[in-house]
Amino acid sequence: MYRQKIFLAILSVLLMINNGHAQISIDLIPDPNIKQISVGSNPKEIRITAKTNKDNLKFSWSIEGSGSLSGDTPTSELFYYIPPDFINEDAERVIITAVATDDKGETATGQIRFTLVKPVSATGSIRVKVDVPDVIVYVNEEAEGTAYPDQP
């Protein structure tokens, strides 16, 4: 009985020490959960939440690549990635990093990576057939040409 009490006391002390000094873990979760973004055709912003095992952490966020970040406060656990309107290359990699820091100065880093791709340009043709002469054809409120009964 005496040995059991000593063992339980040592076990509880070890558990208290481990809980008091647990390392910070951080995982970045995007919503929607996508890894490739077609610029110009997907959501205007992607919410990224830092999931951690500790409370009351301060965060610092950074971005490598095109686009921008916006959030409620600079130290928030929630930030938004805003894709650019266009990119110069066919594809570009974006890396978003969040560093979590506790009140003792211990830190952990989490990253998420996106690939930005240019949208596939849609091409096509339209043929307008008319019964009256000199009909001006508009597409998206812009005059694109004139159609005639013998020349669609």
Side-chain angles (χ1 to χ4, degrees), residues 85-143:
D85 292 331
F86 64 90
I87 55 174
N88 295 327
E89 306 293 325
D90 287 335
E92 184 176 336
R93 187 168 222 162
V94 174
I95 302 171
I96 297 171
T97 304
V99 179
T101 307
D102 66 9
D103 56 356
K104 297 174 186 170
E106 295 179 14
T107 64
T109 302
Q111 282 191 339
I112 189 162
R113 298 168 187 267
F114 293 101
T115 301
L116 298 177
V117 294
K118 281 188 176 180
V120 177
S121 60
T123 60
S125 62
I126 185 170
R127 181 178 174 152
V128 178
K129 205 170 183 182
V130 295
D131 293 335
V132 294
D134 300 327
V135 174
I136 299 173
V137 178
Y138 289 85
V139 177
N140 293 333
E141 299 179 8
E142 290 188 28

Side-chain angles (χ1 to χ4, degrees), residues 19-68:
N19 285 340
H21 297 291
Q23 289 190 341
I24 303 170
S25 69
I26 182 170
D27 187 23
L28 302 187
I29 302 168
D31 181 30
N33 187 15
I34 53 178
K35 300 292 185 197
Q36 182 170 299
I37 303 170
S38 179
V39 173
S41 64
N42 272 327
K44 294 296 180 194
E45 59 185 23
I46 296 164
R47 185 178 67 203
I48 302 172
T49 306
K51 182 180 176 185
T52 63
N53 63 337
K54 285 189 170 185
D55 295 326
N56 302 319
L57 298 173
K58 291 186 179 178
F59 297 87
S60 62
W61 293 80
S62 63
I63 181 172
E64 295 175 44
S66 295
S68 59

